[in-house]
Amino acid sequence: MIEIEPSLKIRKNIILIGFMGSGKTSVGGKLARARHYHFLDTDQILEEEFGCSIREYFEQKGEEEFRRQETNLMRRLSLSLRGCVLSTGGGLPLREENRSLLRETGVVIYLRASEETTMERLMGDTTRPLLAGEDLSEKVHRLLGERRPIYEKAAHYTLDTDKKSFYEIIKEIQTVVMF
Ligand code: S3P
């Protein structure tokens, strides 16, 4: 008899994880429209709850408090989410508790992009506190190196997005999500 690991008794949500600039929000919105699902984005929900931008929140309260708020949000979402595409902040899967919550809440898809593509997309960005200041390429290189294995561990499925159109990415997601 096949033993089904608890995390495979999945709720019908699709969750997108990945590094900053991997296209989670853009893909998520389009995917939700294609499936007639609701679309939610953890960063957008938190900004509404904070009443300020994530960059301002980092400045005022610091990263550790932001991470606490992300976990608090994931706990709430894990109880209530149904029929949603959820796009997540790039650092959310770093906490082990969050990874468990993600996998309990839906099919977790890692949108993987190469370092070159990531750099191109993030060049000139001023909204992301972790990339502020000098030497963007050093930061992206280091953070990507640290996080890639974590994203891979958190995900049910890893999807390479380089040189793929939104249409191709969404089609691939539709083929791996069996509901
Ligand atoms: C972060 C990613 C951001 C946002 C915050 C921290 C990270 O979200 O949550 O700036 O640690 O990677 P995006 O991945 O949507 O840019």
Side-chain angles (χ1 to χ4, degrees):
M1 202 174 84
I2 298 169
E3 280 284 312
I4 299 180
E5 81 167 286
S7 64
L8 289 179
K9 292 177 195 155
I10 269 164
R11 301 218 195 92
K12 294 186 176 170
N13 300 299
I14 302 173
I15 302 176
L16 303 179
I17 64 169
F19 200 72
M20 297 169 266
S22 60
K24 293 161 292 181
T25 305
S26 312
V27 170
K30 292 181 200 324
L31 176 66
R33 234 168 293 135
R35 293 184 70 102
H36 304 288
Y37 272 31
H38 302 287
F39 175 63
L40 292 173
D41 179 313
T42 58
D43 283 341
Q44 282 170 10
I45 299 171
L46 289 174
E47 286 190 331
E48 269 169 43
E49 292 186 356
F50 298 157
C52 67
S53 70
I54 298 220
R55 189 168 54 81
E56 288 162 339
Y57 195 83
F58 262 67
E59 278 162 19
Q60 289 160 20
K61 308 265 181 168
E63 180 173 354
E64 199 41 45
E65 183 53 31
F66 175 74
R67 300 296 175 206
R68 253 196 292 279
Q69 295 299 335
E70 279 187 320
T71 299
N72 181 289
L73 174 61
M74 264 324 295
R75 287 183 189 149
R76 287 180 278 145
L77 290 175
S78 72
L79 298 174
S80 60
L81 220 62
R82 296 284 182 286
C84 278
V85 175
L86 176 70
S87 158
T88 56
L92 193 139
L94 299 181
R95 283 190 169 194
E96 193 181 340
E97 177 180 354
N98 293 355
R99 292 197 290 278
S100 304
L101 289 167
L102 289 168
R103 291 174 68 93
E104 281 165 22
T105 307
V107 175
V108 181
I109 297 179
Y110 167 28
L111 298 185
R112 185 164 62 189
S114 69
E115 194 170 322
E116 297 70 43
T117 305
T118 304
M119 273 299 300
E120 277 167 30
R121 294 191 187 148
L122 293 173
M123 205 99 72
D125 180 88
T126 56
T127 62
R128 291 165 168 109
L130 293 184
L131 303 178
E134 301 292 293
D135 214 348
L136 177 68
S137 59
E138 187 278 321
K139 285 183 188 127
V140 168
H141 178 76
R142 180 174 47 79
L143 286 173
L144 259 183
E146 287 167 12
R147 290 179 176 192
R148 259 202 196 117
I150 298 173
Y151 294 139
E152 282 161 11
K153 194 160 63 171
H156 293 109
Y157 185 79
T158 294
L159 193 158
D160 281 309
T161 60
D162 273 17
K163 301 193 173 63
K164 288 182 186 158
S165 65
F166 284 130
Y167 174 76
E168 288 168 317
I169 294 169
I170 287 166
K171 207 166 119 203
E172 191 170 333
I173 294 174
Q174 300 280 41
T175 60
V176 298
V177 174
M178 303 302 257
F179 50 75

